[in-house]
Amino acid sequence: EPMPSAVQLASVQTLYRRLDRMDLGKYGLVIIDEAAHHGSKTYVEIVNRVNGAHVIGFTATPRRLGGGSPLGDCFDALVLGPPIRELQALGFLCGTEYMSGKLPDLRGIATTGGDYSEKGLHEKAVPQLVGGVVDHYLSYGGLKGIIFSCGQRHSFYLRDEFERHGKRATVIDSRTP
């Protein structure tokens, strides 16, 4: 029997908003990224509308922050991928070295879902974090690296500080083509 040619690629939020206009029953396979969120209202409603399709979920974090329903409530089996060290040994991932300067005092910054508030981090910690990151980076002689920020404002602030010290830097975020 020939395979159907219909393919729909969408974020969960977009798909959820369009559920009333879509016939998800025509799909034989639904692939869910960030499957640890499967217990949320949006995921449950989408899966309930697929009418017998095979559902495969992918996640790097099989436990939801703050609990939530176990993956077994939605999926029949758990398949573990190879560990990072094995993927590095096989040449699929590069080796990494993690470095960190002195962390600022984060007491008093609000948290949401286990993460610090971006606004709170930016107001209280960004100046300390940026100065520490640039100085720490320079102490390693300017090796190539990736720096993760606490948000878009923080990433642009970091870029500007690196450039002020004569180091080329760029920001990659959700708006990068």
Side-chain angles (χ1 to χ4, degrees):
E1 183 173 316
M3 293 189 61
S5 60
V7 173
Q8 174 69 51
L9 178 63
S11 71
V12 169
Q13 295 78 11
T14 299
L15 190 56
Y16 183 75
R17 283 193 308 269
R18 296 178 183 171
L19 273 178
D20 292 333
R21 294 182 275 161
M22 298 183 67
D23 175 16
L24 292 181
K26 70 181 178 183
Y27 297 100
L29 174 65
V30 175
I31 299 174
I32 298 174
D33 193 17
E34 300 294 342
H37 298 292
H38 77 280
S40 72
K41 176 185 174 190
T42 51
Y43 282 75
V44 168
E45 184 67 26
I46 290 167
V47 170
N48 286 341
R49 300 255 190 128
V50 297
N51 299 326
H54 296 283
V55 178
I56 298 175
F58 290 94
T59 183
T61 54
R63 291 189 185 150
R64 289 185 75 179
L65 288 173
S69 55
L71 290 171
D73 289 355
C74 186
F75 303 101
D76 295 327
L78 175 64
V79 179
L80 297 176
I84 290 173
R85 290 190 196 281
E86 183 178 336
L87 292 170
Q88 288 172 331
L90 293 169
F92 292 111
L93 294 176
C94 66
T96 56
E97 184 176 344
Y98 298 94
M99 297 172 240
S100 175
K102 183 177 183 253
L103 294 175
D105 181 2
L106 301 176
R107 287 178 293 191
I109 298 177
T111 59
T112 303
D115 288 329
Y116 288 106
S117 126
E118 183 178 333
K119 181 180 179 199
L121 280 172
H122 197 78
E123 289 173 355
K124 183 172 182 180
V126 163
Q128 296 171 52
L129 281 172
V130 170
V133 168
V134 172
D135 291 343
H136 199 70
Y137 167 82
L138 294 173
S139 76
Y140 280 88
L143 300 170
K144 285 184 181 180
I146 298 173
I147 298 172
F148 295 92
S149 66
C150 66
Q152 288 179 326
R153 284 175 46 192
H154 181 212
S155 64
F156 289 109
Y157 194 99
L158 275 166
R159 179 203 60 199
D160 294 347
E161 280 300 297
F162 275 102
E163 289 179 350
R164 197 171 67 74
H165 283 85
K167 298 296 178 184
R168 197 173 67 168
T170 191
V171 171
I172 300 172
D173 64 13
S174 62
R175 296 173 295 193
T176 302

